[in-house]
């Protein structure tokens, strides 16, 4: 349900030597023609309904008669994919989470096809950068999500409140909605939620090309201190502090009036808390303006695939405007093509804030091995939320952890 990223570590490292196997893209053998190829696609399950839509897309492609695709929706996706890659028999097309792209790029298991799909300039730039490693754009994003402010409309009406648009207003709103056992805002104590405040303050853990740590800045300290102070005051809380597993659960159970989550919360609310009335607003602007984070998945083609031309043909089909709209139409995940935004929103205008975030979202992708620094950062953020760590110490420890990785 949540797309909170975790990097592949030891498993993916076994793939490096195998990556050079298979078709070299020279245009000979089955590579020379997409006609009649038999392809395999690996995907992970998001929900039964979304799985059904993907299966229909595969069926529609197969009916065109150029190639035949066998879809495998796998419960232990990462293990199955890595085993297939390492064994020299990779699927032709497979899902790649944005946070895992650097590992795949480093190990050379992906064929770069990002610019080979139709109208590649139509995709959001942040998403393209999420699937770029060392200057190579590997794969086109299939859809995306952003973080925004989800709020209980009944609580806001009762308190005479409007969605906050600045940090000061967010603090005042959270304070007004707080009562015993019910913080005004609940968010997970981790980089992949607090990072939105960093973006709003003009801060980020690294520079844009992820070659240098940039934790030790006034902007970073401002962002961390702001969220910390609100936790200390009791206006902000963590899911655990109200007996919930994530922000959406806390929100659905009326343990808070606001949360910061991605558009995956729409399905969770519909399924688990259908009677809760809510709305979505863009996150309040910080000292440097609006800021949020994006999360995405792309369609990867294996470097060792035996039918690269056919695989590319299939990916072109999946990322075509008509097909992408059909796949995302019934779900809260958003089309990664900018040209589809208005059409997608036509029957779901209440989700406009999530789409708006695509224009200014920060990618949540770094470099291979950076998960260690994120783990250090998350440990510090958890301490800040609990009140047993200081901002200066978290800045120092994360700066060091990241420098040890980046050099």
């Amino acid at each position: 349900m949540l797309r909170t990223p975790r990097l592949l570590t030891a498993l993916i490292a076994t793939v490096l030597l195998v990556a050079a196997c298979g078709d070299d893209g020279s245009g000979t053998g089955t590579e020379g023609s997409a006609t009649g190829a038999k392809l395999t696609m690996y995907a992970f399950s998001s929900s039964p309904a979304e799985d059904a839509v993907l299966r229909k897309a595969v069926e529609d492609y197969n009916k065109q008669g150029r190639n035949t695709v066998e879809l495998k929706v796998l419960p232990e996706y990462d293990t199955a994919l890595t085993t297939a890659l390492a064994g020299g028999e990779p699927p032709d097309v497979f899902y790649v989470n944005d946070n895992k792209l650097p590992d795949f790029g480093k190990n050379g298991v992906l064929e770069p096809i990002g610019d080979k799909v139709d109208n590649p300039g139509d995709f959001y730039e942040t998403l393209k950068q999420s699937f770029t490693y060392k200057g190579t754009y590997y794969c086109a994003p299939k859809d995306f999500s952003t973080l925004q402010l989800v709020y209980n409309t009944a609580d806001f009406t009762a308190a005479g409140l409007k969605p906050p648009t600045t940090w000061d207003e967010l603090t005042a709103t959270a304070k007004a909605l707080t009562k015993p056992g019910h913080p005004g805002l609940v968010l997970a104590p981790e980089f992949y939620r607090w990072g939105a405040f960093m973006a709003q303050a003009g801060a980020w853990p690294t520079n844009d090309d992820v070659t240098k740590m940039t934790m030790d800045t006034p902007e970073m300290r401002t962002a961390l201190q702001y969220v910390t102070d609100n936790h200390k005051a009791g206006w902000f809380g963590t899911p655990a502090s109200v007996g919930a597993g994530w922000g959406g659960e806390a929100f659905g159970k009326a343990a808070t009036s606001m949360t910061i989550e991605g558009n995956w919360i729409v399905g969770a609310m519909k399924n688990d808390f259908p009677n809760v009335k809510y709305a979505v607003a863009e996150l309040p602007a910080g000292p440097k303006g609006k800021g949020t984070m994006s999360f995405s998945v792309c369609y990867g083609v294996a470097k060792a695939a035996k039918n690269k031309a056919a695989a590319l043909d299939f990916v072109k089909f999946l990322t075509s405007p008509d097909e992408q709209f059909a796949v995302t139409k019934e779900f809260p995940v958003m089309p990664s093509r900018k040209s589809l935004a208005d059409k997608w929103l036509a029957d779901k205008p209440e989700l406009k804030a999530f789409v708006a975030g695509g224009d200014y979202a920060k990618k949540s992708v770094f470099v291979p091995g950076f998960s260690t620094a994120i783990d250090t950062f998350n440990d510090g953020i958890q301490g800040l939320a609990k009140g047993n760590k200081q901002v200066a110490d978290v800045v120092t420890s994360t700066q060091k952890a990241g420098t040890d990785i980046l050099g």
Side-chain angles (χ1 to χ4, degrees):
M1 177 170 56
L2 294 179
R3 295 188 178 184
T4 303
R6 294 287 187 270
L7 291 174
L8 288 177
T9 52
L11 284 174
I12 193 65
T14 64
V15 184
L16 181 58
L17 293 177
V18 180
C21 299
D23 192 316
D24 64 359
S26 62
T28 59
T30 56
E31 170 65 16
S33 172
T35 302
K38 294 182 179 180
L39 306 174
T40 300
M41 178 183 185
Y42 279 12
F44 48 76
S45 179
S46 175
S47 69
E50 193 166 351
D51 294 345
V53 171
L54 177 59
R55 293 186 189 282
K56 184 180 185 305
V58 171
E59 291 173 3
D60 290 344
Y61 178 77
N62 289 343
K63 289 176 181 177
Q64 297 190 7
R66 295 194 297 275
N67 309 291
T68 303
V69 178
E70 178 187 7
L71 174 64
K72 295 184 178 181
V73 179
L74 304 169
E76 299 295 332
Y77 181 78
D78 286 346
T79 300
L81 175 59
T82 304
T83 300
L85 289 168
E89 295 292 335
D92 299 279
V93 179
F94 49 94
Y95 282 0
V96 178
N97 262 321
D98 53 6
N99 63 295
K100 295 170 184 173
L101 188 280
D103 294 275
F104 285 118
K106 177 183 178 181
N107 288 285
V109 299
L110 290 175
E111 180 73 13
I113 64 161
D115 286 323
K116 295 180 181 179
V117 300
D118 297 331
N119 193 11
D122 190 26
F123 295 89
Y124 289 94
E125 184 60 30
T126 293
L127 304 183
K128 293 176 67 175
Q129 290 304 313
S130 293
F131 296 108
T132 297
Y133 178 70
K134 290 191 173 181
T136 300
Y137 176 34
Y138 280 98
C139 46
K142 76 182 191 71
D143 54 42
F144 77 110
S145 303
T146 64
L147 297 176
Q148 297 295 5
L149 185 71
V150 182
Y151 64 96
N152 185 298
T153 53
D155 289 354
F156 268 58
T157 299
L161 296 169
K162 295 181 179 180
T165 60
T166 66
W167 279 9
D168 286 344
E169 290 180 6
L170 179 61
T171 296
T173 301
K175 179 180 179 180
L177 293 166
T178 296
K179 53 189 177 184
H182 182 283
L185 170 69
V186 163
L187 73 159
E190 61 177 29
F191 166 67
Y192 297 104
R193 296 299 181 275
W194 284 42
F197 292 96
M198 299 169 204
Q200 293 156 17
W204 207 244
T206 72
N207 59 357
D208 288 343
D209 57 4
V210 199
T211 58
K212 180 182 179 181
M213 291 298 294
T214 53
M215 285 292 301
D216 192 9
T217 65
E219 292 82 3
M220 179 61 74
R221 286 188 285 273
T222 294
L224 294 177
Q225 195 65 58
Y226 172 76
V227 188
T228 299
D229 288 347
N230 277 278
H231 274 281
K232 184 177 181 180
W235 320 140
F236 291 7
T238 66
S241 72
V242 295
W246 66 292
E249 181 184 2
F251 183 77
K253 290 183 175 179
T256 185
S257 299
M258 296 185 291
T259 190
I260 296 174
E261 286 294 341
N263 31 305
W264 49 78
I265 197 174
V266 174
M269 294 300 294
K270 181 179 180 180
N271 294 331
D272 301 330
F273 310 103
N275 297 322
V276 177
K277 304 300 181 183
Y278 70 95
V280 184
E282 290 182 74
L283 286 166
K288 296 298 176 66
K290 294 180 180 180
T292 188
M293 303 177 73
S294 68
F295 307 99
S296 184
V297 173
C298 79
Y299 296 110
V301 169
K303 186 75 172 178
K306 296 179 176 62
N307 299 293
K308 292 177 188 174
L312 176 58
D313 182 73
F314 178 46
V315 172
K316 284 184 175 181
F317 171 81
L318 291 174
T319 58
S320 66
D322 287 347
E323 193 60 30
Q324 189 177 101
F325 180 74
V327 170
T328 60
K329 183 177 185 296
E330 302 301 326
F331 302 100
V333 291
M334 302 175 298
S336 53
R337 286 186 177 275
K338 294 178 289 185
S339 62
L340 294 176
D342 290 342
K343 182 179 179 182
W344 186 82
L345 283 170
D347 62 351
K348 50 181 78 67
E350 70 278 6
L351 303 184
K352 183 177 181 179
F354 287 128
V355 175
D359 290 329
Y360 55 83
K362 295 279 288 187
K363 66 176 184 177
S364 53
V365 181
F366 293 97
V367 295
F370 200 77
S371 59
T372 301
I374 296 299
D375 288 344
T376 298
F377 200 6
N378 284 341
D379 180 70
I381 288 173
Q382 290 163 17
L384 293 176
K386 291 178 180 177
N388 59 24
K389 289 185 183 292
Q390 300 296 316
V391 167
D393 295 333
V394 174
V395 166
T396 299
S397 62
T398 308
Q399 179 78 17
K400 181 182 184 304
T403 300
D404 288 346
I405 296 166
L406 300 180

